Each structure stands twice: as C-alpha cells, then as structure tokens.
Amino acid sequence: MSQVVTPGHVRLVLPGAWVNVPLVSPEAAKTFAQRVMRQQVGRDDRLARLRRDGVQQICDLADKARASGAHTLAMATEIAPGVPFAASLVGRDVEWPEVEVESDEVAVRLGRAFPGSELRELPAGVAARTRASGVLRGKEEQASSVEVLYRIPRPDSDRLLALRFTAPDFGSADTIAQLFDAIAGSVEFVRRRVGAHVGAAAPHQEGED
C-alpha cells in the first residue's frame, strides 16, 4: 500500500503495487513502458513478444488518457506481493454539465447533472458514482471487466475530478468495485483554491504591525 500525489494535485492511497505512467508525450510514455516491462518480465529474448505487447498496451492506454485530457494514469501490477493484478485508474478534471438547478447544494447539483448515479459521502465530499460492466479485449483473448466512475467536486476549482477505475472482474466484480471504492474514499485534494489570494491563508496576528 502506498500514498501518492498525482499530477492532478490529488493524494491517493493505492493498495498493492502501482506505476504512474507519464502523459506529457507519447515518447515519455513509451520509454516508461519499456522500462516497466523489462522490470516485470525480464530481458530474456524468448519473452520479447510479451514485452512488446505489454509496452503497446501501456502506450495505447496512455494515448487514450492523453486524448481525453487526463492528468493521471496509474496502473496496478500487484495487489499483494506475488499476486498479479491488472487495473487502471484514469484521472481528469471536467466541467459541470449545463443543467438548471434551483439549489446550490452540491448533492442536488450532482443528482441533476448525473441522473442514475449513486451519491456517496466521501471524506473529500459528496460524489456521484456509477458502475458498469464491459469487456477488455486483447490481441488473442478477452475478459469481462468492471468499471467504476467517481465524479467529485473539486474544492480548489469550479470543476469536477473524474476518476475512472477499470479492471478484469475475475468473477468477483463486487469485490473489485469495493477496492475501487476504498481508493476513491482516500482522495484528498492538496492544492489551495485556484485564484485564492496568497495572503488569505495567514490570519493577522496581534503585534505584527
């Protein structure tokens, strides 16, 4: 279990072993992916195809994340020492949908903006949660998957943090979803509000004049 701060100014607690894929450029993502696959698979020539496929998979995920405007792409490698676990986390900031709401209450706004979602109270605030099933397709095989999407209003801007978790369900979709829920529950925003006056953080102390 590790605590990380993402490029999106969010602190998360991630169970097991995860890697953070750089999204600054395709070249940076490929260089990173090659290093990760050498560490995970080794340098044996007989495993060259496995390394290439792994690099391509990471690069494809990075391309999709970058195209969506994401600031964070994290990938799990193990859920516990020696226990492989494949999952991805994509984080991006999005605008609120334009819907008419007669209340400034966040829960009401979320409910109107994302009908059908489940509202959950997190330490970081109320959030809209949706869960879906899908299929992960590889070159030679496919697997059923579970996806959990959290939309959490940011206290440091007027946008929403969208966290999308995806993983094979391994026949235990509920358990995997609960793991993602625990990660979302660890979200902590570490940046002060954009546009806040620098001096506002320090109250005046008597005798400072």
Side-chain angles (χ1 to χ4, degrees):
M1 184 173 295
S2 60
Q3 188 177 85
V4 300
V5 176
T6 75
H9 309 287
V10 176
R11 183 178 289 117
L12 293 167
V13 177
L14 299 174
W18 293 66
V19 295
N20 292 296
V21 183
L23 298 177
V24 291
S25 69
E27 294 76 19
K30 183 175 182 179
T31 298
F32 179 85
Q34 290 171 333
R35 183 170 71 251
V36 168
M37 291 309 300
R38 284 195 299 268
Q39 294 171 346
Q40 295 293 319
V41 178
R43 297 175 178 271
D44 193 319
D45 290 343
R46 293 170 295 182
L47 301 176
R49 180 181 176 183
L50 181 60
R51 287 195 298 271
R52 284 196 303 271
D53 289 348
V55 168
Q56 189 60 53
Q57 180 182 15
I58 295 174
C59 289
D60 288 347
L61 285 173
D63 288 343
K64 291 178 182 178
R66 193 181 307 105
S68 74
H71 48 63
T72 301
L73 171 59
M75 300 181 64
T77 57
E78 292 182 337
I79 193 61
V83 182
F85 179 63
S88 66
L89 181 164
V90 176
R92 65 193 185 104
D93 295 336
V94 299
E95 301 292 342
W96 281 86
E98 294 185 4
V99 295
E100 292 186 6
V101 183
E102 297 178 355
S103 172
D104 291 332
E105 188 176 342
V106 174
V108 175
R109 290 186 68 192
L110 285 171
R112 288 292 301 276
F114 307 105
S117 63
E118 175 189 359
L119 298 185
R120 291 205 171 185
E121 280 287 348
L122 304 178
V126 66
R129 176 190 186 269
T130 56
R131 173 177 160 181
S133 299
V135 176
L136 295 175
R137 291 182 173 84
K139 286 188 175 181
E140 300 178 355
E141 58 183 15
Q142 62 182 33
S144 58
S145 65
V146 59
E147 178 182 285
V148 177
L149 171 62
Y150 272 89
R151 297 180 178 94
I152 311 171
R154 298 194 66 118
D156 55 6
S157 74
D158 294 322
R159 308 183 81 191
L160 298 161
L161 170 66
L163 288 180
R164 187 183 301 273
F165 304 90
T166 307
D169 64 23
F170 301 109
S172 302
D174 290 343
T175 301
I176 301 299
Q178 289 170 8
L179 174 67
F180 293 158
D181 292 337
I183 297 173
S186 73
V187 166
E188 180 182 352
F189 295 98
V190 297
R191 180 180 61 180
R192 61 186 306 177
R193 184 170 179 82
V194 175
H197 190 279
V198 174
H204 175 77
Q205 299 292 325
E206 185 176 353
E208 288 183 344
D209 293 336

